[in-house]
Amino acid sequence: YYFNSFKRIFMQNVHINFSEASYQSNKIKIIKNPENNCSLEFLFENEDATLGEILVYKLGNRKNVIFCGYKKLHPLDSSIFLKVKTNSLTNPLTELESIIREIYVDLSNIQSD
């Protein structure tokens, strides 16, 4: 059940076209930083710290990611904010999309074993 729920979350998000700068969905909202194109903040609605920890762990291991972190404004709040800052070789949207795909593949492999 645990893996199926995460797989469902990532399956819903894996088809997202992150290259559209104005993307908004029921699950993820992009908060732009007008001062820096290499830094974005994402709002994940109806998610908890578990998803934040997974994303930060995976993003932190990427060579083009300079900083990543998440925050939850209140323990009873059902949303998390994820901030990603990359170097000039890539952008946060590309990194997040590839991480979501990678996590989906990992969860598929775990479920099939």
Side-chain angles (χ1 to χ4, degrees):
Y1 175 77
Y2 179 75
F3 293 115
N4 285 335
S5 63
F6 276 113
K7 186 177 176 183
R8 187 182 76 253
I9 290 167
F10 289 112
M11 180 61 164
Q12 291 170 355
N13 295 330
V14 81
H15 69 279
I16 294 170
N17 181 4
F18 282 110
S19 62
E20 298 175 15
S22 63
Y23 174 77
Q24 300 290 317
S25 86
N26 301 5
K27 278 293 219 195
I28 304 171
K29 292 190 180 358
I30 298 173
I31 303 168
K32 284 194 164 245
N33 182 355
E35 299 170 5
N36 188 351
N37 290 337
C38 294
S39 178
L40 285 177
E41 193 168 337
F42 304 90
L43 171 63
F44 287 81
E45 295 179 338
N46 299 319
E47 294 299 334
D48 61 6
T50 305
L51 179 64
E53 289 290 336
I54 292 170
L55 292 172
V56 167
Y57 175 77
K58 289 287 202 176
L59 284 165
N61 291 327
R62 306 284 289 202
K63 65 180 180 179
N64 292 325
V65 175
I66 297 170
F67 171 80
C68 63
Y70 80 95
K71 66 181 174 182
K72 190 167 180 68
L73 296 180
H74 189 274
L76 298 177
D77 189 17
S78 63
S79 299
I80 60 170
F81 291 89
L82 176 74
K83 184 168 185 170
V84 181
K85 183 174 182 179
T86 60
N87 60 21
S88 60
L89 300 175
T90 187
N91 64 53
L93 296 172
T94 304
E95 292 297 323
L96 183 61
E97 182 180 33
S98 66
I99 286 299
I100 289 175
R101 290 182 191 280
E102 185 179 308
I103 292 170
Y104 179 75
V105 169
D106 291 347
L107 291 174
S108 296
N109 290 338
I110 291 171
Q111 186 178 12
S112 66
D113 289 344

